[in-house]
């Protein structure tokens, strides 16, 4: 009789342990689901890439309009300085990164016959100190050449305020539906993203949300994470 009672107790104990293990599994799953809801609003893996081409086209059109306005302001400066200057209609040949602008402009001016221009301040400024100019005409011509080179090779990030309203909503959708799930799937920790308004306010600024902030200490860790799970800036700029 005592053996049967002891066996019954053992069976009940095992059953309780099984129920507790099952409860822990359910609880853990619930916590993960809750975390996913907090981070993403949903755990849908659906990418935000379907309208990428449309966003890029709208972004480039807005940047081009801002670029044209900047060129017109530069043209007013030239005419105030030199009189009624006739300037050509110059299409954009290529949008360049901010750090690429100086070397690109130096090459363009060199091709225009003004050797000696050098990039300075990490490519964000030009140094004309080594350019040999011997006449007022040459000073005029290098000003015009600089305007033409700027027309050919603008920097899109100079017009961030003009394109933020176009890029930021797409970037936030990509962050929450694609980038964060990708990082989590690869075992990386991810900071809790801001809401859409805060994300937009910091978009493409030094204060912007950094999805890779918890990836690791070394630059190699960050580079590997970004290669596996590209940032919205990388995708938008077509540098993947």
């Amino acid at each position: 009789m005592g053996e049967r009672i002891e066996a019954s107790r053992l069976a009940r104990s095992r059953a309780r342990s099984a129920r507790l293990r099952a409860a822990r599994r359910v609880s853990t799953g619930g916590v993960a689901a809750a975390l996913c809801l907090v981070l993403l609003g949903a755990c849908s893996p659906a990418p935000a890439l379907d309208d990428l081409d449309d966003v890029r086209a709208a972004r480039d059109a807005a940047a081009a309009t801002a670029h044209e306005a900047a060129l017109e302001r530069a043209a007013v400066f030239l005419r105030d300085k030199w009189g009624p200057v006739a300037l050509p209609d110059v299409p954009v040949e290529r949008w360049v990164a901010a750090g690429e602008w100086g070397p690109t402009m130096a090459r363009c001016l060199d091709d225009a016959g003004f050797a000696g221009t050098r990039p300075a301040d990490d490519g964000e400024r030009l140094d004309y100190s080594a350019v040999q100019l011997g006449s007022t005409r040459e000073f005029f011509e290098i000003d015009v050449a600089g305007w033409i080179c700027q027309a050919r090779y603008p920097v899109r990030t100079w017009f961030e305020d003009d394109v933020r309203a176009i890029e930021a909503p797409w970037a936030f959708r990509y962050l929450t539906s694609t980038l964060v799930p990708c990082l989590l799937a690869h075992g990386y920790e991810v900071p809790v993203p801001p809401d859409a308004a805060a994300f937009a306010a910091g978009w493409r600024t030094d204060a912007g949300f950094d999805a890779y902030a918890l990836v690791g200490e070394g630059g190699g860790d960050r580079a590997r994470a970004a290669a596996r799970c590209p940032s919205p800036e990388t995708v938008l700029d077509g540098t993947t």
Side-chain angles (χ1 to χ4, degrees):
M1 181 72 173
E3 291 177 354
R4 286 199 298 272
I5 292 173
E6 185 61 30
S8 175
R9 287 175 178 171
L10 181 59
R12 287 197 299 272
S13 176
R14 287 174 175 170
R16 281 197 301 273
S17 296
R19 287 196 298 273
L20 285 172
R21 286 195 297 271
R24 288 193 191 101
R25 286 196 295 270
V26 171
S27 176
T28 301
V31 169
L35 176 61
C36 198
L37 288 171
V38 169
L39 286 175
L40 309 177
C43 275
S44 171
L49 299 177
D50 291 346
D51 57 348
L52 176 59
D53 288 341
D54 292 339
V55 172
R56 283 176 173 164
R59 180 269 312 275
D60 289 349
T65 298
H67 168 57
E68 290 169 6
L71 281 180
E72 184 54 38
R73 290 192 295 271
V76 170
F77 172 81
L78 277 179
R79 290 171 180 136
D80 286 344
K81 182 177 180 180
W82 296 108
V85 180
L87 296 169
D89 184 11
V90 183
V92 172
E93 186 169 321
R94 181 168 60 89
W95 292 92
V96 300
E100 186 187 5
W101 177 81
T104 302
M105 288 287 288
R107 286 192 297 270
C108 182
L109 287 166
D110 185 74
D111 292 343
F114 298 101
T117 307
R118 296 289 181 266
D121 296 338
D122 296 323
E124 297 186 5
R125 188 177 63 81
L126 294 177
D127 178 2
Y128 294 95
S129 60
V131 181
Q132 301 298 315
L133 300 174
S135 67
T136 301
R137 178 71 185 179
E138 287 177 330
F139 279 100
F140 162 73
E141 288 175 347
I142 196 173
D143 277 355
V144 173
W147 185 92
I148 292 172
C149 290
Q150 184 59 68
R152 292 172 62 191
Y153 303 108
V155 179
R156 185 184 290 112
T157 55
W158 289 352
F159 309 111
E160 287 173 348
D161 290 343
D162 300 275
V163 302
R164 179 173 286 108
I166 297 168
E167 285 189 334
W170 181 92
F172 185 75
R173 292 197 304 275
Y174 173 84
L175 169 75
T176 56
S177 71
T178 303
L179 177 55
V180 168
C182 178
L183 290 170
L184 292 174
H186 282 89
Y188 297 115
E189 291 187 70
V190 183
V192 176
D195 61 27
F199 177 86
W203 172 242
R204 288 195 188 264
T205 71
D206 292 340
F209 175 71
D210 182 5
Y212 309 99
L214 303 179
V215 163
E217 297 294 330
D221 293 335
R222 187 182 181 93
R224 281 189 291 274
R228 291 168 174 166
C229 307
S231 69
E233 294 92 338
T234 298
V235 176
L236 278 166
D237 295 343
T239 54
T240 52

